[in-house]
Amino acid sequence: MKNFTFSVFVIALSLLTFSCTNSNITTEKEENYVQENYTKTETTITMRDGVKLFTVIYSPKDTSKTYPILMQRTPYSVRPYGADKFRKNIGPNKYLMKEGNIIVYQDVRGRWMSEGTYENMRAYIPNKKDSTDIDESSDTYDTIDWLVKNIKNNNGNVGTWGISYPGFYSTYSTIDAHPALKAASPQACIGDFFFDDFHHNGAYLLSYFRITPLFGTPKNKPTDTAWYKMPNIKTKDQYQFFLDAGPLSNLNKYFQNQQLDNSNLQLGDKTNDFFWEELKEHPNYDELWQSKGIIQHLKNINSSVATMVVGGWFDAEDLYGPLETYKTIEKYNKDNYNTLVFGPWSHGQWARTKVNNSVGNYYFGDSISLFYQENIETKFFNHFLKGKGDKNSGFPEAYVYDSGKKEWKTYNTWPPKNVEKEILYFSENEKLTSSEEKEIGIQFISNIKKPVPYSEDIKMVFTPRKYMTDDQRFAARRGDVLVFETAILEDDLTLAGAILAKLKVATTGTAADWIVKVIDVHPANTKENNAEMQKHLKMSNYHLMVRSEVMRGKFRNSFTYPEPFIPNKKTEVNIKLQDVFHTFKKGHKLQIQVQSTWFPLIDLNPQTYVANIFKATKEDFKTQTHTVFTSSSIEFSVLK
């Protein structure tokens, strides 16, 4: 929450200036900027339990004035290692780098050059009894305490930032915060691994399979060399690979016999992946996953810490995290400065300097990320670390990009106050109507041997990105994907906030997944506007996926206590889709797609109930017939 005094004219003027003057050309002077203007120091900082964390400090060579400290804690390495080896860019963006700030990077406990044992999303300990009770909050506190006491020319103010996993550590820094911490910007921050990254509403994201060793391979001493090894699956066709692999239990072999890259770190000849073990032994939202979540611990943030939560509307990895982080801080910390920035970005795209802002095939505008970096991110940190640091920052509560109109908007609340709930109903003949019509059941066969692909592309990816804006025509033309759409819109329709799908379904089996996609169907006369679009596609009739989500059906009533479907019985399944800010323009259509497979974005559901899908056998997998009843509806947050 904050005070708002901002001119939208400045936004438009700055955005225009950006698109006319920026380029991607990097000069030799820019390549060497950090080395010429900063001194690099490598050190270890001792935590309260004696564990030493490897820390890199970049201090401005100009020592005639003081500077704030901007810190990022990361599990992904602070490299390059070596006092004489420099990053080409440091800090959140080039503007903060060139203005002069003390930039600090730290390998978190148990990663790379830091000592200790790594825990994936280490659980917060609320009531620490002694120095052995450590978590990421205490490690951050101890680090900041050392930095402000030992780095010369610091002004006593500290800010944290990070994208994705480092964003999680930035969120963590606000809990039991050090008095010197004045600003934190969690960006695409993980909130809970049962709803971000590796799971969505209990469904396992099979597309993340290959990066599991990055988080789960143990090491027993500091190293500047990768100690993990990604599975070599020897194909570029991930759809066929996972289809041929069969049940998830057949993937165990990729982790049981994993070899460490660095022979000096081998724990015997072979090692198990502890993260894979967590995934397969904890299929429900049990105490393990609940303890690792950070969202529930954001109810008492010190009001002296300003937060700016940043995310992308088309982030395939961490969409739940930043939205829930912002909303929870806002709900329980009424006196805090807490703002939200969301743009038309994929995962971390706002930190890049490319002029063309496209996600996959879809173009949203020029210099959107550059505008954010100079006019939002830089000014946020400067105000709280170099300026007055009060709530009158000159920024709105919510700085959000309308992905349909392709323009920035500002609001005093998020969702905006002038939002009303509107319900559309599924109807026969593929219609989406404003009133409920006669109920019928629409059936489709969910063939586990031919699941619906999440993308047309034939490739292997570590984590998916571009599918979030992919043209969904390929899916709409399948018999196992149900389509419901409005008539051509006579006026603009702006959605601003969460979406709730209220399905009424049945299945001949005892288990099923349900996927709902919200799609903007473009007119036939839409012009081409993106030279980077895949050549086989056209903007004419483009089916832009605006939002999508899956619900593993057995979790429809509880993520902790799953339950089977009763065959052929009509059952309610509600699916919350994360917030959107998108205008469906006059002349477009709003379309809903419903399906039960989304492969291999998520794993295959056996469609017969098993307690743990990671241990399902080949015999458990059955083709079933599903029914969606036209009494199903979808509830939108519509801006008036």
Side-chain angles (χ1 to χ4, degrees):
M1 186 174 291
K2 53 160 315 302
N3 295 338
F4 170 46
T5 54
F6 195 84
S7 170
V8 176
F9 171 75
V10 175
I11 302 176
L13 182 62
S14 300
L15 197 52
L16 178 62
T17 304
F18 260 134
S19 21
C20 294
T21 62
N22 274 277
S23 72
N24 284 318
I25 298 173
T26 302
T27 66
E28 184 177 348
K29 186 175 181 181
E30 289 174 329
E31 286 278 333
N32 299 322
Y33 185 88
V34 177
Q35 190 167 1
E36 291 174 358
N37 292 275
Y38 283 83
T39 299
K40 180 184 178 183
T41 303
E42 294 185 336
T43 189
T44 58
I45 300 176
T46 304
M47 300 295 102
R48 63 190 64 181
D49 64 345
V51 170
K52 294 179 172 60
L53 303 189
F54 189 84
T55 308
V56 174
I57 303 163
Y58 291 91
S59 299
K61 289 183 176 179
D62 179 3
T63 58
S64 64
K65 54 185 176 181
T66 60
Y67 305 91
I69 298 169
L70 277 166
M71 179 175 70
Q72 180 184 104
R73 305 183 68 243
T74 179
Y76 299 134
S77 175
V78 302
R79 56 190 166 196
Y81 296 101
D84 60 341
K85 293 181 172 62
F86 288 73
R87 291 189 175 206
K88 292 180 180 178
N89 296 286
I90 57 174
N93 62 57
K94 66 179 181 180
Y95 306 103
L96 288 164
M97 176 182 74
K98 292 185 176 181
E99 284 182 6
N101 287 278
I102 298 168
I103 309 297
V104 175
Y105 295 94
Q106 184 178 77
D107 287 334
V108 297
R109 182 180 291 255
R111 298 292 286 185
W112 297 89
M113 288 294 288
S114 285
E115 297 176 352
T117 301
Y118 172 68
E119 288 188 22
N120 210 2
M121 290 192 72
R122 189 185 304 273
Y124 168 64
I125 302 174
N127 299 303
K128 300 175 180 65
K129 297 177 181 178
D130 54 45
S131 61
T132 64
D133 283 346
I134 58 88
D135 54 23
E136 305 302 341
S137 173
S138 65
D139 281 357
T140 306
Y141 189 103
D142 294 349
T143 298
I144 292 176
D145 198 60
W146 187 94
L147 293 174
V148 295
K149 291 176 180 177
N150 289 276
I151 297 180
K152 295 180 179 179
N153 298 100
N154 83 81
N155 70 359
N157 294 332
V158 178
T160 61
W161 95 99
I163 297 171
S164 194
Y165 218 140
F168 164 77
Y169 293 114
S170 180
T171 303
Y172 225 132
S173 73
T174 67
I175 303 172
D176 300 334
H178 191 284
L181 183 65
K182 298 298 192 296
S185 183
Q187 304 177 9
C189 43
I190 304 169
D192 192 309
F193 261 167
F194 208 72
F195 305 102
D196 278 317
D197 289 304
F198 290 87
H199 298 97
H200 274 214
N201 290 330
Y204 170 59
L205 265 71
L206 190 56
S207 50
Y208 280 68
F209 159 76
R210 288 181 68 203
I211 67 166
T212 305
L214 177 63
F215 304 104
T217 306
K219 75 177 184 72
N220 57 5
K221 65 179 182 180
T223 178
D224 61 2
T225 305
W227 65 97
Y228 50 83
K229 186 178 181 180
M230 305 300 185
N232 181 8
I233 62 176
K234 300 177 181 179
T235 181
K236 295 182 179 179
D237 187 343
Q238 63 180 1
Y239 183 98
Q240 196 63 46
F241 168 79
F242 287 115
L243 197 61
D244 292 342
L248 291 175
S249 57
N250 290 341
L251 299 177
N252 290 341
K253 62 185 179 182
Y254 289 96
F255 305 108
Q256 289 172 340
N257 301 311
Q258 187 178 39
Q259 297 293 321
L260 297 172
D261 282 351
N262 189 336
S263 59
N264 293 326
L265 298 176
Q266 288 186 0
L267 306 176
D269 293 331
K270 300 173 183 178
T271 180
N272 284 322
D273 187 294
F274 63 79
F275 187 41
W276 180 251
E277 289 297 308
E278 288 181 340
L279 289 167
K280 72 186 185 71
E281 296 300 329
H282 299 271
N284 306 332
Y285 193 50
D286 60 14
E287 185 178 350
L288 175 83
W289 301 116
Q290 292 175 30
S291 69
K292 291 175 179 291
I294 196 71
I295 302 299
Q296 63 267 34
H297 299 300
L298 301 179
K299 298 178 180 179
N300 188 27
I301 304 301
N302 194 312
S303 61
S304 63
V305 181
T307 48
M308 182 179 75
V309 183
V310 182
W313 292 127
F314 301 96
D315 189 334
E317 299 175 44
D318 297 300
L319 188 58
Y320 168 92
L323 287 168
E324 291 302 311
T325 296
Y326 165 77
K327 291 177 182 179
T328 303
I329 294 175
E330 191 70 13
K331 180 178 180 179
Y332 292 100
N333 304 271
K334 299 295 186 182
D335 294 331
N336 288 35
Y337 181 102
N338 178 46
T339 58
L340 180 76
V341 180
F342 255 76
W345 298 308
S346 63
H347 192 64
Q349 191 176 5
W350 51 91
R352 298 168 199 157
T353 57
K354 189 175 181 179
V355 172
N356 179 308
N357 268 132
S358 297
V359 177
N361 292 298
Y362 201 85
Y363 170 75
F364 289 102
D366 281 348
S367 304
I368 301 170
S369 299
L370 293 166
F371 170 78
Y372 156 77
Q373 291 168 29
E374 183 174 18
N375 291 283
I376 303 176
E377 185 176 46
T378 296
K379 291 183 178 179
F380 167 76
F381 280 118
N382 282 347
H383 178 76
F384 288 101
L385 301 182
K386 296 179 178 179
K388 292 182 178 180
D390 59 8
K391 291 185 178 181
N392 295 310
S393 65
F395 285 106
E397 172 77 14
Y399 215 138
V400 288
Y401 196 90
D402 184 328
S403 54
K405 286 187 175 180
K406 301 180 181 179
E407 62 185 18
W408 285 106
K409 293 287 187 179
T410 60
Y411 295 100
N412 288 325
T413 62
W414 183 262
K417 289 182 178 179
N418 51 331
V419 162
E420 296 179 6
K421 299 295 182 184
E422 290 192 7
I423 299 174
L424 294 178
Y425 295 88
F426 299 176
S427 300
E428 59 182 328
N429 298 318
E430 298 190 337
K431 292 181 180 179
L432 200 59
T433 57
S434 58
S435 59
E436 187 174 356
E437 299 183 355
K438 179 183 177 181
E439 182 184 80
I440 63 169
I442 304 174
Q443 294 186 333
F444 65 95
I445 295 173
S446 180
N447 186 344
I448 53 103
K449 293 183 178 180
K450 292 188 177 181
V452 181
Y454 79 91
S455 170
E456 289 183 288
D457 297 341
I458 305 299
K459 64 180 182 180
M460 176 59 68
V461 297
F462 279 95
T463 56
R465 291 200 178 191
K466 66 173 282 295
Y467 88 94
M468 292 288 283
T469 62
D470 268 355
D471 188 342
Q472 297 298 309
R473 273 177 283 199
F474 78 94
R477 292 165 181 171
R478 288 181 57 116
D480 50 0
V481 177
L482 302 186
V483 173
F484 305 92
E485 65 181 23
T486 64
I488 295 173
L489 297 176
E490 297 180 357
D491 298 291
D492 287 355
L493 174 69
T494 300
L495 307 185
I499 299 169
L500 181 63
K502 296 181 176 180
L503 302 185
K504 293 182 174 62
V505 299
T507 176
T508 55
T510 52
D513 291 336
W514 302 96
I515 294 101
V516 173
K517 298 185 288 192
V518 179
I519 293 161
D520 183 343
V521 180
H522 289 46
N525 63 354
T526 304
K527 299 290 190 294
E528 311 302 327
N529 62 1
N530 187 9
E532 298 181 4
M533 176 180 278
Q534 290 171 291
K535 299 304 180 185
H536 70 284
L537 293 175
K538 303 295 180 186
M539 284 304 300
S540 175
N541 198 38
Y542 194 94
H543 284 39
L544 171 67
M545 190 166 74
V546 176
R547 185 62 72 238
S548 56
E549 193 54 276
V550 58
M551 172 62 74
R552 180 134 287 170
K554 66 180 183 178
F555 295 121
R556 63 193 180 277
N557 294 321
S558 169
F559 290 111
T560 303
Y561 303 105
E563 56 190 281
F565 286 92
I566 298 174
N568 301 312
K569 180 181 179 181
K570 185 167 71 171
T571 306
E572 294 183 0
V573 177
N574 292 337
I575 308 174
K576 177 186 175 183
L577 287 77
Q578 300 300 331
D579 291 21
V580 300
F581 185 41
H582 185 88
T583 295
F584 291 77
K585 291 184 175 181
K586 176 182 177 180
H588 292 224
K589 291 187 289 185
L590 189 159
Q591 181 184 99
I592 301 297
Q593 291 183 7
V594 180
Q595 59 200 63
S596 63
T597 52
W598 210 11
F599 193 74
L601 181 67
I602 62 171
D603 63 315
L604 276 180
N605 192 315
Q607 304 191 136
T608 55
Y609 183 84
V610 291
N612 187 344
I613 290 179
F614 282 88
K615 298 182 180 182
T617 65
K618 182 179 179 181
E619 290 70 30
D620 292 321
F621 288 78
K622 305 289 184 183
T623 292
Q624 304 288 357
T625 298
H626 299 328
T627 303
V628 176
F629 295 93
T630 55
S631 51
S632 301
S633 62
I634 188 157
E635 183 179 281
F636 296 105
S637 304
V638 178
L639 187 66
K640 295 298 184 180

